[in-house]
Structure formats: C-alpha cells, structure tokens
Amino acid sequence: MPQCSRSGFHFSSESYGGHYGPILNEYIEAQNATKITGAHHITLETVLIGNGRYGPPLQYQAYHNYSVFLGNIHDYTPLNASVQAQFYNNRYGAGNCVDRIKNCAARGISEICMSASSFCANLVESVHDNCSWRYLNTPNVQAAIRTHQSYCESSNAVSEAFTAVGDDNREVGTNEALKKSIKHNVTVMLFAGDAGYNCNWLGGQVVAYEAEAPEFDCAGFVNISTTDNIAHGQVKQAGKISFVRIYGSGHEVPFYQPPAALSIFERAMNGKDVATGALTASMACLTEGAKDSTYRKGNSTIQLLFYRLMRRTAIRQVLGIRHIGRRSWSEEGAGAS
C-alpha cells in the first residue's frame, strides 16, 4: 500500500545471501539509474550480510585456514599432519578444488561447475560440516534436548536444483557488486559469528578488505558496547562500511547473540557507528584499535563426544571415505551398532 511505503530501503541477508545479495543490490541501483518514467525509485540505504558465502575461491581458502591454521576460536583441529597435507592437496593440488573452480569460471558449463561443486563440497567444505548432523542425531544429544525428530539441515529438492548447475562454485561478480554499493554511499555491514565453520568469519573479513572502501585498512578493531555491558564482539569500521566479528556465535548471529544482533542492526540501519551507536557513520568515523581481532576462547569447552565425532568424520571426509557406516556413539568412545 502506498501509504505504508517509506523512502529508504534496507537489505539484510545471510549465508547464501552473500552470493546473490550484492548482485540484487547492484540491480536496484542500475534500475534507478535508468530513470524510467513512472518507475518507483528505491533508495537503498543499508546492506547487511551475515556469515555470507561470497566468491568460491576465497570461501574455500577460508575453510582451510579455519581448520588447519586455527582460525577458529577453539584452538582445535581434528587433523594430524598427514591429513592436513591431504586437505591442502584437496584444495590446491592439480585438478582439484581450485583448478575446478577456475575451469567453471572460464567455461561456465553446468557439468563442469557441478563437478567443481561436488568435489569442493565433499573434500573441502564438508570436513567439519557433516559431523554436526551426526552429533545432533546421537541418542544422548536428542534425549538431552528432548527432541523426537532427527535433525535435517535443509530441503534436498532445493539443494539438488542448485547443485545440478554447479551454482555453488560459479563466479557471479559478488565482490565487484559490493564495491559498487560502497561507491553509491550505501551503508554496508558485513558481520559473522566466529564459532561457525561454514561461511566463516575469516572469509568475511577478507571480503571486507577487498571491498576497497576508503580508509578501511587504517581502521582498527574495537569492542561493541551493548546494554548488558558484555563485549559480545568487535567491529572494524571506516565511514559507512564495517566488518563485525561476534564472539561464540554460530552461523546465524541473531539466534546465538540476540542483544548484540539487535544493537548492530539498529545502529547500521540508523546510520550510526556500530561500536557505540553514539556517532554518525560519516567519513570521519574511523575505529581506532588493534589491526587484528585476536580473541581466543580456547578448547576447554569442547565436549568430548563432539571432539571424537568431529575428528573421525573430518579425517574420513578429507581422505574421501564417504561410506562411514552406521555407528552408535557414547562418551566412552565409539562402537559398532
């Protein structure tokens, strides 16, 4: 209804939204530029992307760094030296993940892109990914959370439709589109929970740097203040672009850290600095702090059952052993069912 419309438009997305969100924003700006008679001008004010899946090469590098170089906050890797070497080869070896992504970008053929998507997903991305649903479907965990259903991550039909054309590994110009939003003076906030492996914060941080926003390299990380007086994360901000790291949050920040999520959303959408909400996010707004966000949680809180399950699953995944077989797990160890 016209009377319910407003002049400004805020775009928020997460995960795969990092793949297409910037493209949609670029389209909005392009349509505005045509100035078609009678068309409604959409004033894009804010772009918010949480744990975004951006360009494929960058994302798979982030998976590797999060696992092997301890980019995760728990100082934990399930992989010994020999398996780490195999994991590296899965990504960089001749004819493997990186080469397949490049071949997909160069030729754009669905079968080639599907092959890249399948290889990279099974032998790079899913190293940690696949153990999560196995853990959630163990009897002890289901009893503890009082569920009577097995965990299912997503719709297989939708997933297969994307996989059939290798959409996951296609270069669609995400990062270039993000740069255009910044040049149009749109507020851009990229945020990520640091406890999530998929679309992790390391990849999001690199995208923020590659956006080439003025003075962003000169900004530092500072704590985010919230009403509960707890430092839930840090932000690096230069003018209208910011990168936010939220401590201890998984893939969906609003679920894991509601107070922090509400604060950063409100501040970004109202044109304020993300750290305090007290300053206008103009070019003069530059956070002063450490160049890197170095908070570590350590591995004292990792549950023994999950630790053992992740180690077993990750090693098999890296080595390409797909048929693990049915197992029953307990805190004392693993045994055949």
Side-chain angles (χ1 to χ4, degrees), residues 263-299:
S263 294
I264 64 176
F265 270 57
E266 287 183 335
R267 292 167 186 175
M269 292 171 66
N270 288 314
K272 301 295 183 180
D273 75 298
V274 175
T276 68
L279 306 173
T280 299
S282 63
M283 289 304 299
C285 179
L286 191 73
T287 50
E288 297 182 5
K291 179 181 179 181
D292 299 310
S293 180
T294 58
Y295 169 76
R296 317 293 298 174
K297 186 175 181 63
N299 56 29

Side-chain angles (χ1 to χ4, degrees), residues 64 68 79-94 96-97 119 122-124 127 314-321:
H64 185 269
V68 173
L79 313 177
N80 59 31
S82 63
V83 180
Q84 285 184 25
Q86 180 62 51
F87 189 31
Y88 183 88
N89 182 68
N90 289 352
R91 175 174 165 76
Y92 293 109
N96 291 344
C97 184
F119 185 95
N122 287 323
L123 296 179
V124 179
V127 169
I315 290 175
R316 287 176 176 269
Q317 197 76 33
V318 169
L319 298 179
I321 303 172

Side-chain angles (χ1 to χ4, degrees), residues 53 56-57 60 90-91 95-106 108-125 163-171 322:
R53 184 179 185 85
Y60 286 109
N90 289 352
R91 175 174 165 76
N96 291 344
C97 184
V98 169
D99 284 351
R100 291 174 187 239
I101 290 174
K102 290 179 179 178
N103 195 22
C104 168
I109 299 172
S110 291
E111 289 78 10
I112 291 175
C113 293
M114 181 173 65
S115 173
S117 181
S118 177
F119 185 95
C120 295
N122 287 323
L123 296 179
V124 179
E125 178 179 356
T163 302
V165 294
D167 191 80
D168 208 25
N169 280 276
R170 289 181 181 271
E171 288 278 11
R322 298 187 181 184

Side-chain angles (χ1 to χ4, degrees), residues 126-136 306 309-311 313-314 317:
S126 297
V127 169
H128 291 307
D129 239 11
N130 286 347
C131 66
S132 299
W133 65 265
R134 292 173 62 82
Y135 174 69
L136 290 173
F306 188 64
L309 181 57
M310 176 176 282
R311 179 177 177 82
T313 305
Q317 197 76 33

Side-chain angles (χ1 to χ4, degrees), residues 34-219:
T34 62
K35 301 185 184 299
I36 298 174
T37 302
H40 183 72
H41 181 95
I42 298 175
T43 304
L44 183 62
E45 294 185 359
T46 313
V47 173
L48 313 170
I49 301 176
N51 282 88
R53 184 179 185 85
Y54 305 100
L58 186 154
Q59 202 69 55
Y60 286 109
Q61 173 65 60
Y63 289 139
H64 185 269
N65 289 350
Y66 194 90
S67 301
V68 173
F69 294 107
L70 298 181
N72 64 80
I73 62 171
H74 295 292
D75 298 325
Y76 162 76
T77 178
L79 313 177
N80 59 31
S82 63
V83 180
Q84 285 184 25
Q86 180 62 51
F87 189 31
Y88 183 88
N89 182 68
N90 289 352
R91 175 174 165 76
Y92 293 109
N96 291 344
C97 184
V98 169
D99 284 351
R100 291 174 187 239
I101 290 174
K102 290 179 179 178
N103 195 22
C104 168
R107 303 178 65 184
I109 299 172
S110 291
E111 289 78 10
I112 291 175
C113 293
M114 181 173 65
S115 173
S117 181
S118 177
F119 185 95
C120 295
N122 287 323
L123 296 179
V124 179
E125 178 179 356
S126 297
V127 169
H128 291 307
D129 239 11
N130 286 347
C131 66
S132 299
W133 65 265
R134 292 173 62 82
Y135 174 69
L136 290 173
N137 286 334
T138 54
N140 288 349
V141 172
Q142 291 192 340
I145 62 178
R146 298 182 181 180
T147 181
H148 303 289
Q149 288 182 283
S150 294
Y151 173 77
C152 180
E153 184 178 30
S154 60
S155 166
N156 288 334
V158 174
S159 177
E160 288 170 2
F162 276 87
T163 302
V165 294
D167 191 80
D168 208 25
N169 280 276
R170 289 181 181 271
E171 288 278 11
V172 294
T174 298
N175 292 0
E176 291 303 315
L178 199 59
K179 292 178 184 179
K180 291 180 181 179
S181 289
I182 294 171
K183 289 180 180 178
H184 280 103
N185 203 33
V186 175
T187 295
V188 175
M189 182 178 76
L190 308 182
F191 62 98
D194 65 6
Y197 169 76
N198 211 344
C199 308
N200 62 64
W201 75 282
L202 298 179
Q205 181 175 223
V206 173
V207 170
Y209 277 109
E210 291 192 349
E212 299 176 352
E215 303 299 321
F216 187 77
D217 285 353
C218 300

